[in-house]
């Protein structure tokens, strides 16, 4: 795993907010009609709207989160859907705690 990419991903308030929103997609994106946000993921467009940022900006943030392994992205028709990877996030946090001798 590229730890430097994970550190970069966590070093942004916007990306942290994306991870917070994706922690409970049913609550934050229950109005998504194109696919079940919990089972399938959340459309990138809806994430941009929730953050009040442009599509290109959210795409850059989501790509960094994807490269870090914190989200998965799957395409369906013309849309891309994102899901949070809790196991990857937990692995990063465990690594940080061990690396910084916090255990």
């Amino acid at each position: 795993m590229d730890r430097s990419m994970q550190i970069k991903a966590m070093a942004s308030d916007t990306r942290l907010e994306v991870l917070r929103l994706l922690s409970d997609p049913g609550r934050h994106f229950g109005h998504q009609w194109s696919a079940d946000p919990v089972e399938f993921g959340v459309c990138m467009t809806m994430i941009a709207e929730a953050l009040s940022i442009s599509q290109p900006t959210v795409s850059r943030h989501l790509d960094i989160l994807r490269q870090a392994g914190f989200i998965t992205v799957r395409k369906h028709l013309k849309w891309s859907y994102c899901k949070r990877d809790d196991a990857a996030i937990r692995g990063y946090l465990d690594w940080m705690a061990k690396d910084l001798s916090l255990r």
Side-chain angles (χ1 to χ4, degrees):
M1 183 55 52
D2 183 356
R3 296 295 186 195
S4 63
M5 180 57 73
Q6 290 183 322
I7 292 167
K8 178 180 178 177
M10 292 295 194
S12 161
D13 289 336
T14 300
R15 290 189 286 275
L16 289 174
E17 184 60 22
V18 169
L19 293 176
R20 282 186 206 101
L21 290 171
L22 293 178
S23 72
D24 191 354
R27 183 174 65 137
H28 298 291
F29 301 100
H31 58 287
Q32 177 176 278
W33 59 267
S34 57
D36 183 315
V38 175
E39 295 300 317
F40 201 81
V42 177
C43 180
M44 286 184 177
T45 302
M46 295 196 80
I47 297 170
E49 290 171 2
L51 298 171
S52 299
I53 59 178
S54 70
Q55 187 78 31
T57 300
V58 82
S59 291
R60 283 193 304 276
H61 285 296
L62 294 171
D63 189 53
I64 290 168
L65 288 169
R66 183 195 56 75
Q67 289 178 52
F70 296 145
I71 65 169
T72 58
V73 178
R74 68 193 237 191
K75 294 191 183 289
H76 179 67
L77 301 175
K78 63 180 181 173
W79 297 289
S80 294
Y81 294 84
C82 303
K83 281 186 83 165
R84 192 170 106 150
D85 186 333
D86 290 339
I89 294 168
R90 172 56 51 205
Y92 169 77
L93 294 173
D94 289 347
W95 170 78
M96 285 293 290
K98 182 179 177 188
D99 195 56
L100 296 175
S101 300
L102 296 176
R103 292 188 178 182

